[in-house]
Amino acid sequence: MANIVFAFQVTDVAAEFLSVLDRADEPAEVVLTGQEWRHVVLPAAGADTRIRHLAEIAAGPATGPAWSPERIGPGDLHWAHNPADWRREQARSGLAAALAAGSAGPVRHSLGHAGHSQFLIDAAHPLTERQLRTKLDLLSAFGSGALPSVDAGRNHVTQSAPSCESFLLLGRERAEHLYYLMYSPDPLVDVPYDPWDFARSSYEKERMSATRDWVRAALPHPGASVVEAGACEGALSELLCDAGLTVTATEPADDFRKRAADRLAGRATVTAHTVEELAGAARTPADAYLLAEVLYYLDDPSVVESLATDLLLVTAPREILEAKLRPYFAGSGAACWSVESEHELLDARLDFLVDGLMYQRKRGSVGLVCRRR
């Protein structure tokens, strides 16, 4: 049995996996995915000796075969980067390890640098003062390249050397799910079903229920027609159908649109049109257009002026409303649209993005009822 660490580069081993290698009585190996899966068997020693040995070997020419899944031994424990790491190379390394070693069981993924998300961890390894000093000395020896550049909005540089190394135990599907949430679209992973956990998140269920009630109240009569742009898998569209509305759901992404079509079969029209297409050749007249958490993704919000409706319903988080939408509706959009009302659909709160694993601050939602002048 051996501890096998998959890391993008040597500095990552020191920064995230020192506690794993500081077990002199346990065999240890490292696979450097950033060096074409170079495989290094480490001596029986503490982390300082092992990682310095690894650095020396990695600096020279490769002499042995690269690691392959055939090398998995009975009882081996596999460690890798977080597939949701905001550093793309490390995230890809973690995903690749999950795909390659996952057949032997779940992989233990380092918490790493995961932006604004937090996780339910499976194991935490607090470092002793000796271990932390070893980590800091190693990272200093590797030079400034050991530390990522500071992005004040997402990361503090001291997170590059945590004094408590935390790990997530993930199967292949969850590893792919985390990678998708951070880096979609990406051909490395398929689109998971319900990737934002609309069906299980208490926040998302409340947001969609509140949106349905608000839309129904804004429309002139039962059975009124509404075009929902960017319908994803059709979760909100289904609620609108349940409320008696005549729904056209548009979703340009193939995977989502196919799922929406299955979900809404016989109840709603599903098309592939983008907002830009709906404003042009694919004009679809309706009593109202609903842009739920969509408008702020548009490069030019003025495209909504050409939609075939006199009633525009828009939802967005409060900070997006203030930063992007209100300036449009109070500025150039004021010639076309009158904002009749503003309704707080729900407040910001913490909730799971991946049920039971990954959580973050959900930003809340505000609804604007806009009437064409």
Side-chain angles (χ1 to χ4, degrees), residues 264-278:
L264 302 170
R267 306 190 66 195
T269 301
V270 179
T271 77
H273 299 134
T274 64
V275 174
E276 291 81 2
E277 290 168 343
L278 290 167

Side-chain angles (χ1 to χ4, degrees), residues 71-85:
R71 290 176 172 264
I72 295 175
D76 285 348
L77 300 180
H78 299 98
W79 309 77
H81 292 299
N82 188 344
D85 199 299

Side-chain angles (χ1 to χ4, degrees), residues 21-162:
L21 298 186
D22 200 35
R23 306 170 186 177
D25 58 336
E26 297 181 11
E29 306 170 16
V30 170
V31 179
L32 295 173
T33 61
Q35 291 190 17
E36 299 182 338
W37 293 67
R38 189 168 185 179
H39 181 215
V40 180
V41 178
L42 301 178
D48 183 68
T49 299
R50 281 176 160 173
I51 294 173
R52 291 183 187 278
H53 173 80
L54 173 66
E56 292 177 5
I57 296 297
T63 56
W67 184 90
S68 66
E70 288 75 23
R71 290 176 172 264
I72 295 175
D76 285 348
L77 300 180
H78 299 98
W79 309 77
H81 292 299
N82 188 344
D85 199 299
W86 62 263
R87 301 164 299 171
R88 195 179 193 111
E89 294 294 350
Q90 281 77 3
R92 284 183 170 175
S93 174
L95 173 66
L99 300 181
S103 60
V107 175
R108 293 153 178 83
H109 295 266
S110 168
L111 188 60
H113 308 280
H116 55 267
S117 296
Q118 299 186 72
F119 296 83
L120 179 66
I121 61 173
D122 293 279
H125 301 171
L127 302 184
T128 64
E129 181 180 346
R130 175 191 63 78
Q131 289 174 320
L132 180 57
R133 289 185 182 278
T134 295
K135 174 181 286 193
L136 300 183
D137 288 345
L138 285 166
L139 292 176
S140 296
F142 293 142
S144 60
L147 300 177
S149 60
V150 178
D151 180 344
R154 306 177 74 178
N155 166 64
H156 295 290
V157 72
T158 50
Q159 291 177 335
S160 300

Side-chain angles (χ1 to χ4, degrees), residues 10 15 33 88 90 106 128 130 192 251 255 257 260 284 290 315 318 324 326 348 370:
V10 174
T33 61
R88 195 179 193 111
Q90 281 77 3
T128 64
R130 175 191 63 78
E251 175 50 60
D255 292 284
R257 185 176 65 260
T284 305
L290 171 62
T315 73
R318 171 67 64 182
K324 185 170 184 178
R326 201 182 299 285
C370 308

Side-chain angles (χ1 to χ4, degrees), residues 230-272:
C232 195
E233 295 180 352
L236 177 56
S237 307
E238 186 174 39
L239 294 181
L240 297 174
C241 290
D242 291 343
L245 300 174
T246 302
V247 178
T248 297
T250 75
E251 175 50 60
D254 290 342
D255 292 284
F256 291 148
R257 185 176 65 260
K258 291 174 184 176
R259 296 171 193 173
D262 290 341
R263 183 178 202 155
L264 302 170
R267 306 190 66 195
T269 301
V270 179
T271 77

Side-chain angles (χ1 to χ4, degrees), residues 254-372:
D254 290 342
D255 292 284
F256 291 148
R257 185 176 65 260
K258 291 174 184 176
R259 296 171 193 173
D262 290 341
R263 183 178 202 155
L264 302 170
R267 306 190 66 195
T269 301
V270 179
T271 77
H273 299 134
T274 64
V275 174
E276 291 81 2
E277 290 168 343
L278 290 167
R283 284 173 59 85
T284 305
D287 293 317
Y289 267 65
L290 171 62
L291 278 65
E293 319 297 317
V294 168
L295 185 54
Y296 49 91
Y297 289 119
L298 301 179
D299 292 332
D300 180 8
S302 68
V303 69
V304 300
E305 296 169 15
S306 298
L307 295 175
T309 187
D310 291 332
L311 184 62
L312 182 66
L313 308 176
V314 178
T315 73
R318 171 67 64 182
E319 53 258 47
I320 300 296
L321 170 67
E322 300 299 341
K324 185 170 184 178
L325 304 190
R326 201 182 299 285
Y328 164 70
F329 285 113
S332 62
C336 179
W337 302 105
S338 170
V339 178
E340 289 191 345
S341 66
E342 179 177 316
H343 183 71
E344 196 88 26
L345 298 172
L346 81 167
D347 295 329
R349 72 178 68 161
L350 289 169
D351 193 31
F352 283 104
L353 184 60
V354 177
D355 191 58
L357 173 63
M358 177 185 184
Y359 63 101
Q360 60 183 216
R361 177 183 179 268
K362 301 289 186 75
R363 298 182 293 179
S365 186
V366 179
L368 299 181
V369 175
C370 308
R371 183 83 57 182
R372 191 180 295 275

